Amino acid sequence: MNLESRIVYERYMAAFFKVTKRMYNELRNSLEDELTLEQYQLIDYIATRGEVTSTELADVFSVGKSSITAITTRLTDREILKRNRDESDRRIVYLSLAEYGKELHSRTRKQILDVISAYMVHYSKDEIEGFIQTFEKLANMMEKGSGES
């Protein structure tokens, strides 16, 4: 690794750790006691899709189906999620937000937006757009599983 690469690496890692640690803690602290950040991400995904299967959630979140089953069972028991069987194939179970889950998602989404907005006010609209585009590009490359492109 040459000097320039090492400096870029060190800058990236320092910023990455500061941002992820701080943002994770702030988001976690802003969430209602009822949800973990991981649970919120799951209900947020379901909120955008309407209905999903456990298999879809396991694929999207890159975890085993048994982990998804454990999480969704807890959320279903707490009436945040509901299970709906497919009419034509009873083996297929769809997950969606229960009424309480919709309310909780809405409140939690606002809390998270408040945390993020406190930082975004320091940037211009163009800076925010550039950051989001770059972040989305990185996310897309990571989803494809390649550091090249």
Side-chain angles (χ1 to χ4, degrees), residues 3 9 44 52 60 64 74 89 92 101 104 140 144 146-148:
L3 178 61
Y9 167 82
D44 187 57
V52 299
V60 167
R74 281 191 290 275
D89 186 344
I92 299 173
L104 182 60
N140 288 332
K144 291 176 185 171
S146 171
E148 300 173 11

Side-chain angles (χ1 to χ4, degrees), residues 18 25 29 91 126 129-130:
K18 283 179 193 175
N25 285 333
N29 291 336
R91 295 171 298 175
D126 289 342
E129 184 61 30

Side-chain angles (χ1 to χ4, degrees), residues 2-48:
N2 65 32
L3 178 61
E4 185 177 328
S5 295
R6 191 169 57 240
I7 291 169
V8 168
Y9 167 82
E10 289 170 2
R11 287 178 58 203
Y12 172 82
M13 292 305 288
F16 172 80
F17 284 124
K18 283 179 193 175
V19 169
T20 55
K21 182 178 180 182
R22 178 79 184 242
M23 188 58 71
Y24 182 84
N25 285 333
E26 287 192 34
L27 290 175
R28 190 182 67 226
N29 291 336
S30 75
L31 294 179
E32 297 191 20
D33 290 336
E34 296 179 80
L35 290 176
T36 65
L37 190 53
E38 292 77 13
Q39 289 171 334
Y40 173 75
Q41 289 173 311
L42 189 133
I43 69 167
D44 187 57
Y45 180 82
I46 295 171
T48 63

Side-chain angles (χ1 to χ4, degrees), residues 29-119:
N29 291 336
S30 75
L31 294 179
E32 297 191 20
D33 290 336
E34 296 179 80
L35 290 176
T36 65
L37 190 53
E38 292 77 13
Q39 289 171 334
Y40 173 75
Q41 289 173 311
L42 189 133
I43 69 167
D44 187 57
Y45 180 82
I46 295 171
T48 63
R49 301 300 187 281
E51 283 190 327
V52 299
T53 63
S54 293
T55 301
E56 179 181 346
L57 292 174
D59 290 344
V60 167
F61 291 99
S62 300
V63 296
K65 239 184 125 180
S66 61
S67 295
I68 290 296
T69 299
I71 294 168
T72 58
T73 296
R74 281 191 290 275
L75 295 174
T76 302
D77 290 347
R78 293 170 42 211
E79 298 182 355
I80 295 169
L81 295 182
K82 60 183 177 178
R83 290 185 170 103
N84 308 304
R85 292 213 176 264
D86 187 294
E87 293 296 324
S88 60
D89 186 344
R90 305 283 294 156
R91 295 171 298 175
I92 299 173
V93 177
Y94 293 103
L95 298 161
S96 61
L97 293 182
E99 201 54 46
Y100 176 65
K102 291 175 186 176
E103 295 167 13
L104 182 60
H105 175 259
S106 180
R107 285 194 316 267
T108 306
R109 187 173 191 272
K110 184 189 178 318
Q111 292 168 326
I112 290 173
L113 186 57
D114 288 346
V115 169
I116 294 169
S117 295
Y119 292 100

